Every structure is written in structure tokens, then in C-alpha cells.
Amino acid sequence: MTTLKSRLQDDLTAAIKERDELRSATLRMTLAAITKEEVAGTSARELSDDEVQKVITREAKKRREAAEAFADGGRTEQAERERAEGEVLADYLPEQLTDEELDALVAEAVEEARAAGAEGPRAMGAVMKVVNPKVAGRAEGGRVAAAVKKRLAG
């Protein structure tokens, strides 16, 4: 069985052979972030696919934020580069939820939290606990929190 990390390494090798600068640079940075995570803490260890996915998600988020910052600063070329790197990383992440799918999951979670006695704005934590495992990497935390707030306010 191929791990997500070994898939990244194989794809990096292929990208280097194909002289795909964007792809190889992006995968190199991502693998470096994974290695850094593996040696952080008291003992070095292999990351699970889920942990590797979290690192890729974090890297993709950095690219999105950098692209926005560059775009706001009028540096369109750098913004394009960051967006392109984000698209490379998107290949390794689960399909993102549409707003409709996210709203449906949040609505279910709010109902579950209500059934458990949590209501109103204070239910935020309870709802997030229910909805996060269902979303699992298919929507960014900020997006999920915004959808939950909107649903609880409504």
C-alpha cells in the first residue's frame, strides 16, 4: 500500500524528470514541512496519512493566504505562483465541500447538539465537535466556523 508521503516523493521524482519546476518546488517544500513535523517533538517518527494530509492542508492554506496578500499588494505574478502551488497541493487533498454540502452537515450538527441540550451561541463548541469529524479535511476550519455561527444566529 502506498502512503501519501511516498506518493508525494514519487510525484516529486517524476516532476524533476519532467523538468516541471512549479510542481517539483511545491512538492519539495511540502515534503520539507512533513519532515520537519516528523522530527519535531521528543522523538522522530513517521507521520500517518492523516497527519501528512493535515500538513498538506496547512501548506495549501499558506499558499491561499500568500496569494491573497500578494494580490492585495498588487503583485499579481507572485499571487499567480502561490495559486498555482495551491492547485498542485489540491491534488493531494480530499474534494472540498460545496457551500450547500457544508450547510447541510452544519444543520445536522446543530440538530444533534440541540438534542444533546446545547442551544444558541453557546452551542458553538458542541456543534464544532459534532461537525469537524464529518467535514474532516474537506473544508477549512474558518469556513466551517462561519457556517456554524451563521446557522446558530439564524
Side-chain angles (χ1 to χ4, degrees):
M1 196 183 92
T2 316
T3 64
L4 187 51
K5 183 181 174 186
S6 58
R7 185 178 146 211
L8 287 165
Q9 288 163 328
D10 294 345
D11 291 354
L12 172 60
T13 306
I16 292 169
K17 283 180 185 159
E18 292 160 15
R19 293 204 160 81
D20 184 338
E21 190 278 329
L22 170 78
R23 197 169 186 79
S24 57
T26 305
L27 295 177
R28 254 195 204 106
M29 282 188 283
T30 305
L31 284 161
I34 291 166
T35 303
K36 188 176 159 195
E37 189 81 19
E38 287 179 333
V39 297
T42 49
S43 59
R45 62 194 179 86
E46 274 287 307
L47 295 184
S48 70
D49 275 0
D50 280 349
E51 291 169 312
V52 169
Q53 194 175 18
K54 281 185 183 129
V55 173
I56 297 171
T57 303
R58 196 169 53 227
E59 290 297 305
K61 183 180 179 189
K62 282 183 195 168
R63 301 302 182 288
R64 245 189 324 278
E65 289 169 351
E68 281 172 30
F70 282 135
D72 293 345
R75 295 169 67 185
T76 39
E77 216 170 282
Q78 286 97 332
E80 282 306 308
R81 169 76 187 203
E82 294 290 339
R83 272 192 210 100
E85 289 181 2
E87 283 168 26
V88 168
L89 295 175
D91 292 346
Y92 300 93
L93 295 171
E95 193 68 33
Q96 294 297 293
L97 293 169
T98 64
D99 290 341
E100 293 75 34
E101 291 168 326
L102 180 59
D103 287 342
L105 286 173
V106 167
E108 274 175 35
V110 168
E111 288 311 309
E112 270 181 57
R114 270 202 190 115
E119 270 190 71
R122 284 203 202 94
M124 182 84 187
V127 174
M128 289 300 283
K129 255 193 208 117
V130 174
V131 84
N132 274 334
K134 294 180 181 179
V135 170
R138 296 182 300 155
E140 219 173 66
R143 233 183 106 201
V144 177
V148 170
K149 274 187 192 132
K150 195 174 101 184
R151 174 65 65 159
L152 288 175

